[in-house]
């Protein structure tokens, strides 16, 4: 499987969970500690850490230790392959719909002759 | 869990697989029969049908019987929640970066005084 394909697998799968999306939305507002990220979620810490690990593996977040506190930061650039893939699909079907539109217009003009 | 959240879960999870993305890319070019969709994939038919089922559950494709042939069609509108969610995140971090930029500019101006 191509590297780009594997990257998209990991990325879309990471986005397919409400806790992980909530963490990303929080981090879009600025870096946060693990306990700040855990606060809104009724979840055991190991489960939350599991979600953070998946986001880190997808490259969507990075983390560093600041004394005894682990701080997480969003990596906005990591969303790009997902956005690019969705835009590509839109371009393909828009082109197809334009071609269909041209064809129908041409057909109508020929019928009028 | 909110309905919108569940919809995003199903949608992003459906996109997190290379076979399913290849099927969507093919259908963006126009409707296709199940056997046309299966042709490029080295996969047993039940596995392929499983992928089609997941795409149908996510609302990304629909299918109908044309005689003995099942035809699948893309539903481009179903991509919208994923695109909207990604755009929202971008808007949040762009606003934050603009605010940081304003703050730094202001700080530099004050230092120069």
């Amino acid at each position: 499987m191509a590297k780009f394909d594997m990257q998209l697998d990991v990325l879309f799968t990471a986005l397919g969970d409400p806790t992980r999306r909530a963490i990303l939305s929080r981090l879009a507002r600025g870096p946060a500690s693990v306990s700040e990220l855990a606060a809104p979620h009724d979840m055991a810490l190991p489960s939350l850490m599991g979600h953070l690990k998946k986001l880190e593996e997808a490259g969507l977040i990075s983390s560093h230790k600041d004394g005894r506190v682990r701080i997480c930061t969003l990596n906005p650039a990591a969303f790009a392959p997902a956005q690019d893939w969705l835009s590509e699909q839109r371009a393909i079907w828009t082109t197809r719909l334009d071609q269909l539109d041209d064809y129908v217009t041409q057909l109508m003009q020929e019928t009028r002759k």
Side-chain angles (χ1 to χ4, degrees), chain A:
Chain A
M1 206 196 314
K3 198 183 161 202
F4 181 71
D5 249 2
M6 283 201 291
Q7 193 185 3
L8 281 175
D9 287 0
V10 174
L11 190 49
F12 280 126
T13 305
L15 296 177
D17 177 275
T19 305
R20 292 197 288 270
R21 288 196 304 277
I23 292 170
L24 293 171
S25 292
R26 167 60 192 82
L27 292 178
R29 291 181 175 81
S33 69
V34 171
S35 46
E36 278 177 276
L37 292 174
H41 305 286
D42 184 20
M43 190 177 281
L45 198 61
S47 305
L48 190 99
M49 295 299 285
H51 286 307
L52 293 178
K53 194 171 166 236
K54 281 211 173 108
L55 291 172
E56 208 156 357
E57 281 167 357
L60 287 162
I61 68 168
S62 58
S63 72
H64 67 275
K65 275 266 191 181
D66 186 7
R68 292 179 60 184
V69 177
R70 180 161 291 278
I71 303 290
C72 297
T73 310
L74 189 72
N75 177 17
F79 287 90
Q83 284 167 318
D84 292 350
W85 187 85
L86 288 167
S87 301
E88 264 170 46
Q89 303 314 304
R90 191 200 287 256
I92 299 171
W93 75 65
T94 306
T95 305
R96 188 181 151 252
L97 290 180
D98 285 349
Q99 284 168 346
L100 270 178
D101 198 38
D102 289 350
Y103 176 70
V104 171
T105 308
Q106 195 189 328
L107 215 65
M108 283 170 72
Q109 282 169 346
E110 280 173 13
T111 314
R112 278 190 199 137
K113 274 176 197 166

CSV table of all heavy atoms in Angstrom, one decimal, chain A residues 65-84:
chain,number,residue,atom,x,y,z
A,65,LYS,N,7.2,17.3,27.7
A,65,LYS,CA,7.1,17.4,29.2
A,65,LYS,C,7.6,18.8,29.6
A,65,LYS,O,8.6,19.3,29.1
A,65,LYS,CB,8.1,16.3,29.8
A,65,LYS,CG,7.4,15.0,30.0
A,65,LYS,CD,6.8,14.8,31.3
A,65,LYS,CE,6.4,13.4,31.6
A,65,LYS,NZ,5.8,13.3,33.0
A,66,ASP,N,6.8,19.4,30.5
A,66,ASP,CA,7.2,20.7,31.1
A,66,ASP,C,7.2,20.4,32.6
A,66,ASP,O,6.1,20.5,33.2
A,66,ASP,CB,6.1,21.7,30.7
A,66,ASP,CG,6.6,23.1,31.1
A,66,ASP,OD1,7.7,23.2,31.6
A,66,ASP,OD2,5.8,24.1,31.0
A,67,GLY,N,8.3,20.0,33.1
A,67,GLY,CA,8.4,19.6,34.5
A,67,GLY,C,7.7,18.3,34.6
A,67,GLY,O,8.0,17.3,33.9
A,68,ARG,N,6.7,18.3,35.5
A,68,ARG,CA,5.9,17.0,35.7
A,68,ARG,C,4.6,17.0,34.8
A,68,ARG,O,3.8,16.0,34.9
A,68,ARG,CB,5.6,16.8,37.2
A,68,ARG,CG,6.8,16.5,38.0
A,68,ARG,CD,6.5,16.4,39.5
A,68,ARG,NE,5.6,15.3,39.7
A,68,ARG,CZ,5.0,15.0,40.9
A,68,ARG,NH1,5.3,15.7,41.9
A,68,ARG,NH2,4.2,13.9,41.0
A,69,VAL,N,4.5,18.0,34.0
A,69,VAL,CA,3.2,18.1,33.3
A,69,VAL,C,3.5,17.8,31.8
A,69,VAL,O,4.5,18.4,31.2
A,69,VAL,CB,2.6,19.6,33.4
A,69,VAL,CG1,1.4,19.7,32.6
A,69,VAL,CG2,2.3,19.8,34.9
A,70,ARG,N,2.6,17.0,31.1
A,70,ARG,CA,2.8,16.8,29.7
A,70,ARG,C,1.8,17.8,29.0
A,70,ARG,O,0.6,17.8,29.2
A,70,ARG,CB,2.4,15.3,29.3
A,70,ARG,CG,2.6,15.0,27.9
A,70,ARG,CD,2.7,13.6,27.5
A,70,ARG,NE,4.0,13.0,28.0
A,70,ARG,CZ,5.1,13.1,27.3
A,70,ARG,NH1,5.2,13.8,26.1
A,70,ARG,NH2,6.2,12.6,27.8
A,71,ILE,N,2.4,18.6,28.0
A,71,ILE,CA,1.7,19.6,27.3
A,71,ILE,C,1.5,19.1,25.9
A,71,ILE,O,2.5,18.6,25.2
A,71,ILE,CB,2.5,20.9,27.3
A,71,ILE,CG1,2.8,21.4,28.7
A,71,ILE,CG2,1.7,22.0,26.4
A,71,ILE,CD1,1.6,21.9,29.4
A,72,CYS,N,0.3,19.1,25.4
A,72,CYS,CA,0.0,18.7,24.0
A,72,CYS,C,-0.3,19.9,23.1
A,72,CYS,O,-0.9,20.9,23.6
A,72,CYS,CB,-1.3,17.8,24.0
A,72,CYS,SG,-1.1,16.3,24.9
A,73,THR,N,0.2,19.8,21.9
A,73,THR,CA,0.1,20.9,20.9
A,73,THR,C,-0.5,20.4,19.6
A,73,THR,O,-0.1,19.3,19.2
A,73,THR,CB,1.5,21.6,20.6
A,73,THR,OG1,2.1,21.8,21.9
A,73,THR,CG2,1.4,22.8,19.8
A,74,LEU,N,-1.4,21.2,19.0
A,74,LEU,CA,-1.9,20.8,17.7
A,74,LEU,C,-0.9,21.0,16.6
A,74,LEU,O,-0.1,21.9,16.6
A,74,LEU,CB,-3.2,21.6,17.4
A,74,LEU,CG,-4.0,21.2,16.2
A,74,LEU,CD1,-4.8,19.9,16.5
A,74,LEU,CD2,-5.0,22.3,15.8
A,75,ASN,N,-0.9,20.1,15.6
A,75,ASN,CA,-0.1,20.3,14.4
A,75,ASN,C,-1.1,20.5,13.2
A,75,ASN,O,-1.4,19.5,12.5
A,75,ASN,CB,0.8,19.0,14.2
A,75,ASN,CG,1.6,19.1,12.9
A,75,ASN,OD1,1.7,20.2,12.3
A,75,ASN,ND2,2.1,18.0,12.4
A,76,PRO,N,-1.5,21.7,12.9
A,76,PRO,CA,-2.5,22.0,11.9
A,76,PRO,C,-2.2,21.4,10.5
A,76,PRO,O,-3.0,21.0,9.8
A,76,PRO,CB,-2.6,23.5,11.9
A,76,PRO,CG,-2.1,24.0,13.2
A,76,PRO,CD,-1.1,23.0,13.6
A,77,ALA,N,-0.9,21.4,10.2
A,77,ALA,CA,-0.4,20.9,8.9
A,77,ALA,C,-0.8,19.5,8.6
A,77,ALA,O,-1.0,19.1,7.5
A,77,ALA,CB,1.1,21.1,8.7
A,78,ALA,N,-1.0,18.7,9.7
A,78,ALA,CA,-1.3,17.3,9.5
A,78,ALA,C,-2.7,17.0,9.0
A,78,ALA,O,-3.0,15.9,8.5
A,78,ALA,CB,-1.1,16.5,10.9
A,79,PHE,N,-3.6,18.0,9.0
A,79,PHE,CA,-4.9,17.9,8.5
A,79,PHE,C,-4.9,17.9,7.0
A,79,PHE,O,-5.9,17.5,6.3
A,79,PHE,CB,-5.9,19.0,9.0
A,79,PHE,CG,-6.3,18.9,10.4
A,79,PHE,CD1,-5.5,19.5,11.4
A,79,PHE,CD2,-7.4,18.2,10.8
A,79,PHE,CE1,-5.9,19.4,12.8
A,79,PHE,CE2,-7.8,18.1,12.1
A,79,PHE,CZ,-7.1,18.7,13.1
A,80,ALA,N,-3.9,18.5,6.4
A,80,ALA,CA,-3.8,18.8,5.0
A,80,ALA,C,-4.1,17.6,4.1
A,80,ALA,O,-5.0,17.7,3.1
A,80,ALA,CB,-2.5,19.4,4.6
A,81,PRO,N,-3.5,16.4,4.3
A,81,PRO,CA,-3.8,15.3,3.4
A,81,PRO,C,-5.3,14.9,3.3
A,81,PRO,O,-5.9,14.6,2.2
A,81,PRO,CB,-3.0,14.1,3.9
A,81,PRO,CG,-1.9,14.7,4.7
A,81,PRO,CD,-2.5,16.0,5.3
A,82,ALA,N,-6.0,15.0,4.5
A,82,ALA,CA,-7.5,14.7,4.5
A,82,ALA,C,-8.2,15.8,3.7
A,82,ALA,O,-9.1,15.5,2.9
A,82,ALA,CB,-8.0,14.7,5.9
A,83,GLN,N,-7.9,17.1,3.9
A,83,GLN,CA,-8.5,18.1,3.2
A,83,GLN,C,-8.3,18.0,1.7
A,83,GLN,O,-9.2,18.2,0.9
A,83,GLN,CB,-8.0,19.5,3.7
A,83,GLN,CG,-8.7,19.9,5.1
A,83,GLN,CD,-8.0,21.0,5.7
A,83,GLN,OE1,-6.8,21.1,5.7
A,83,GLN,NE2,-8.8,21.9,6.3
A,84,ASP,N,-7.0,17.7,1.3
A,84,ASP,CA,-6.6,17.6,-0.1
A,84,ASP,C,-7.4,16.4,-0.7
A,84,ASP,O,-7.9,16.6,-1.9
A,84,ASP,CB,-5.1,17.3,-0.2
A,84,ASP,CG,-4.3,18.5,0.2
A,84,ASP,OD1,-4.9,19.6,0.4
A,84,ASP,OD2,-3.1,18.4,0.3
